[in-house]
Amino acid sequence: VPEGEEGELIIGGVGLARYLDDAKDQVAYAAMPSLGWSRAYRSGDRVRFDGVGIVFAGRKDEQVKVGGRRIELGEIDSALLQLPGVTGAGAAVRKSAAGNTLLVGYVTVEEGFSTKAATEQLRQDLPAALVPRLAVVDTIPTRTSGKIDRDALPWPLADGVLGAGARAVATVATRTGAAVRPGDRIPAAW
């Protein structure tokens, strides 16, 4: 792509790893004849070259990094929708005033919904690092495409919106030095 425009980061060359299983290798890697590579890996990262180096611009999918782990927000959405009494759900990553990264699960609910019971269910169903702080909201905003408008989900949350005990554990998922966020510069390795 021309300087200043975005494109997908594609990794290739002699140092590209291989799966031990040929079937998995063929799924994860494909030829990139336009670049002269017999094998290449599509990272899913959107980047742009600014004349000095590569600048990370986000993800092509809804994958995010929280506490050093890459997660798909759609998987969290799905787990939230499986909870009893939940009628709509969407997960988003937010920053606290102290700079901590939080995974927040926004839910619309039926009467009688228990945040405490829902959190316990999520702890049984998901790895600990993927259990979001629950926030009950009136509606889950959507884009014209019908997809969740994660940017329109409320933040910061009003007092009392997070589930019981959430303030005490809200700093568990913190930003790590390895986290890459939109606008971060990736040093050129060449």
Side-chain angles (χ1 to χ4, degrees), residues 24-129:
K24 284 185 179 179
D25 194 75
Q26 290 175 9
V27 170
Y29 303 99
M32 243 351 191
S34 62
L35 297 175
W37 294 337
S38 60
R39 293 178 68 249
Y41 174 69
R42 300 183 75 132
S43 70
D45 292 333
R46 291 185 353 260
V47 296
R48 80 176 172 280
F49 180 68
D50 67 357
V52 177
I54 298 172
V55 179
F56 180 74
R59 293 281 306 167
K60 286 183 63 172
D61 52 21
E62 293 190 328
Q63 192 179 82
V64 296
K65 198 165 187 179
V66 177
R69 296 181 136 210
R70 286 199 181 267
I71 61 170
E72 288 281 348
L73 290 176
E75 291 178 22
I76 306 301
D77 295 349
S78 180
L80 292 169
L81 286 168
Q82 300 300 314
L83 295 170
V86 171
T87 58
V93 175
R94 299 292 189 239
K95 284 253 188 233
S96 71
N100 297 317
T101 301
L102 304 174
L103 180 60
V104 180
Y106 295 87
V107 292
T108 56
V109 299
E110 297 171 345
E111 193 168 323
F113 174 77
S114 167
T115 303
K116 184 177 180 179
T119 300
E120 287 305 316
Q121 182 65 47
L122 290 170
R123 286 183 181 143
Q124 291 176 17
D125 297 344
L126 297 171

Side-chain angles (χ1 to χ4, degrees), residues 11-29:
I11 303 165
V14 295
L16 193 61
R18 291 189 182 275
Y19 277 99
L20 295 176
D21 180 346
D22 284 337
K24 284 185 179 179
D25 194 75
Q26 290 175 9
V27 170
Y29 303 99

